Amino acid sequence: MTTTESRPAGTSGAGESTTLTLIQAITLGMQGEMRRDPRVVVFGEDVGARGGVFLATAGLQQEFGEERVFDTPLSEAAIVGAAVGMAVRGLRPIAEIQFADYMGPGFDQLVSQAAKLRYRSGGQFSCPMVVRTPSGGGVKGGHHHSQSPEAYYCHTPGLKVVMPSTPYDALGLLRAAVRGADPVIYFEPKRLYRAVKGEVPTEDYIVELGRAAVRQSGTDLSLIGYGGVMPDVLKAAQALGEQGVSVEVLDLRSLVPWDREAVMASVARTGRAVLVSEAPRIGSFMTEVASSIQEDVFDSLLAPVGLVAGFDTPYPYAQDRVYLPGAGRIVNAAVQTLNYG
């Protein structure tokens, strides 16, 4: 999918632009932040000479040297723990975990150390670090390389969680994450790395964490998603539009904090909402959004809130595409919502 987008709310920047893939925007973001701030360091498994498993860090070690871009042992707990220590001592670490599925060994460092530093020090210390990690399915990675674990981290106060779906957001969110004062988990939908292209300003800009983007305005139904599902959400909106349905498409971009105001405004306007996420349904972040819609704009609803999600099974290798929501499942849920009552 090639996406050309206007500059959404919660952003800044204007002037000349260039066309980038999502992964090129991420690489450019790290390169730019390292040039801007000598405290920024990048490390992880094979991120140096190799350039990372998906080549997101390609060329960085050659430009910035082995002291600022370096390989680590095969130990996610050590990677995250080192990032916490560096952040406390004044650096701005960007740690790469090769796949989101592998964040488990570093979980304790994230939820017990990084997330708690500001609170337990009474505000004396913060933990300005970014953990980048490819997540989600669609690349035949099987059950150890395709999971969407964002809900674990959304559940932990003290962590911020983002997931871009466009090159513009990938670059702007990464800059905002690196320049912020708190730990950010930066999930990268890897099936979009080279499948999505978009216009990105050549001048400096950021995308503020906590601001959703309206990808398409409409009046009959709100389709709300984030990350890797967004191309299918847009395909579903197009298919519904060809049937005469006016669909509003909202891309959350940031899960913690999330743009509750934008979601409620959209649902209050359309009266119907279908939420889309590829994470397993039970305990997914979208169940929090559904609950909040019920609390805040219940009187505006013309139908129950729909939810299209992954299945509550281990991620299947053989049924990779079946597992993901897909435009067909989204359209079916939308039609059910539109025909309610």
Side-chain angles (χ1 to χ4, degrees):
M1 184 193 77
T2 299
T3 301
T4 301
E5 59 185 311
S6 58
R7 189 165 291 110
T11 64
S12 58
E16 296 183 356
S17 64
T18 185
T19 301
L20 298 176
T21 63
L22 192 114
I23 197 166
Q24 286 173 330
I26 292 168
T27 304
L28 187 65
M30 286 186 284
Q31 182 188 48
E33 290 308 290
M34 295 189 78
R35 288 176 178 175
R36 185 188 63 83
D37 187 344
R39 298 174 300 170
V40 177
V41 295
V42 172
F43 55 95
E45 296 158 12
D46 299 324
V47 303
R50 159 71 182 168
V53 64
F54 290 100
L55 304 181
T57 57
L60 296 184
Q61 189 179 71
Q62 287 81 353
E63 178 174 352
F64 299 103
E66 296 183 3
E67 290 191 354
R68 294 184 66 192
V69 183
F70 54 91
D71 295 335
T72 67
L74 186 64
S75 172
E76 286 76 15
I79 293 170
V80 178
V84 173
M86 291 179 187
V88 172
R89 297 295 295 175
L91 295 178
R92 293 271 171 168
I94 304 175
E96 178 179 299
I97 302 296
Q98 280 195 341
F99 290 88
D101 315 62
Y102 301 162
M103 290 177 68
F107 189 79
D108 183 60
Q109 290 291 338
L110 282 169
V111 304
S112 300
Q113 305 303 331
K116 306 292 192 296
L117 266 170
R118 180 183 290 280
Y119 182 79
R120 73 188 177 104
S121 69
Q124 297 181 76
F125 295 98
S126 61
C127 194
M129 56 181 275
V130 178
V131 175
R132 293 181 37 251
T133 186
S135 72
V139 296
K140 281 290 184 183
H143 45 279
H144 281 159
H145 300 82
S146 303
Q147 297 178 85
S148 300
E150 60 270 19
Y152 296 139
Y153 304 96
C154 293
H155 187 68
T156 301
L159 296 179
K160 296 181 178 179
V161 180
V162 302
M163 191 183 300
S165 70
T166 70
Y168 182 95
D169 288 347
L171 180 52
L173 286 170
L174 184 58
R175 285 173 174 156
V178 173
R179 299 174 191 182
D182 294 300
V184 178
I185 313 300
Y186 185 95
F187 287 103
E188 301 168 2
K190 56 183 175 288
R191 71 175 178 277
L192 304 187
Y193 269 154
R194 293 172 175 83
V196 172
K197 292 182 180 179
E199 291 296 307
V200 176
T202 54
E203 68 177 15
D204 189 57
Y205 71 95
I206 65 165
V207 173
E208 181 184 348
L209 274 60
R211 298 292 300 275
V214 177
R215 302 299 186 201
Q216 174 178 308
S217 297
T219 57
D220 296 333
L221 169 74
S222 299
L223 287 181
I224 303 169
Y226 61 88
V229 303
M230 288 311 301
D232 284 327
V233 170
L234 290 167
K235 288 179 185 175
Q238 181 178 358
L240 291 163
E242 291 169 356
Q243 300 174 32
V245 181
S246 176
V247 180
E248 183 148 294
V249 176
L250 207 62
D251 183 347
L252 292 181
R253 305 192 289 189
S254 175
L255 306 186
V256 178
W258 66 284
D259 198 340
R260 189 176 182 127
E261 182 179 352
V263 169
M264 300 312 156
S266 177
V267 178
R269 187 162 52 248
T270 65
R272 299 177 177 87
V274 172
L275 315 180
V276 186
S277 166
E278 68 181 273
R281 182 185 182 98
I282 294 177
S284 77
F285 179 75
M286 282 308 199
T287 61
E288 169 62 22
V289 177
S291 173
S292 298
I293 291 172
Q294 185 275 142
E295 288 177 350
D296 287 8
V297 291
F298 179 80
D299 290 341
S300 300
L301 289 175
L302 301 173
V305 177
L307 175 59
V308 184
F311 298 106
D312 295 314
T313 68
Y315 194 97
Y317 176 81
Q319 302 295 334
D320 195 32
R321 290 290 178 180
V322 174
Y323 181 92
L324 298 172
R329 285 175 59 195
I330 299 169
V331 168
N332 290 340
V335 170
Q336 185 175 3
T337 299
L338 290 163
N339 291 335
Y340 178 80

